[in-house]
Amino acid sequence: MSGKRTFTMIKPDAVIAGHTGSIVKMIEEAGFRILAMKKTRLSAELAGKFYEIHKERPFYGELCSYMSSGAIVPMILEKENAVEDFRKLIGATDPKKAAPGTIRALFAKSIDANAIHGSDSDANAEIESNFFFSQFERF
Ligand code: IDP
Ligand code: MG
């Protein structure tokens, strides 16, 4: 049984395509409560910090420039079994492999511009939430 919170962000491709509202609706209808949310933009340096765990992967440079290319919408979400249930809702990293009806299947453009992030563990959900939000921004 995992914890009650996860972290997500709607990525630049989905924000610029006007999918923020549709994605937020799917998240709420799936039973997640939004504890914190804002629209912001990462510098390439901050994107590099956020994705530091992927530093050795061949797409790291591309990922950092993509994630700083436009506005994003980070959120902290609450639900029983949050991390696992949210990964199910967003689908596989590559939208071509994402299950039908998942957020990535519906809205992602490609394996890099894949519409949305979801934390992969309780520990990372905590680290990633703290990266964007103070305690005073959580309701
Ligand atoms: P995840 O977002 O499904 O957890 P990760 O493997 O953690 O996937 O990769 C982080 C992000 O890096 C992905 O969401 C995607 O934006 C990007 N990415 C992953 N694999 C590739 C790739 O093979 N080429 C380009 N970008 C990739
Ligand atoms: Mg990941």
Side-chain angles (χ1 to χ4, degrees), residues 33-51:
R33 201 169 74 78
I34 298 168
L35 284 182
M37 173 165 68
K38 63 185 164 194
K39 189 170 188 179
T40 184
R41 184 172 177 170
L42 291 170
S43 63
E45 193 193 345
L46 279 174
K49 269 189 195 141
F50 185 87
Y51 281 111

Side-chain angles (χ1 to χ4, degrees), residues 54-63:
H54 295 310
K55 209 162 48 187
E56 306 305 329
R57 294 173 82 176
F59 56 83
Y60 178 70
E62 253 177 85
L63 177 62

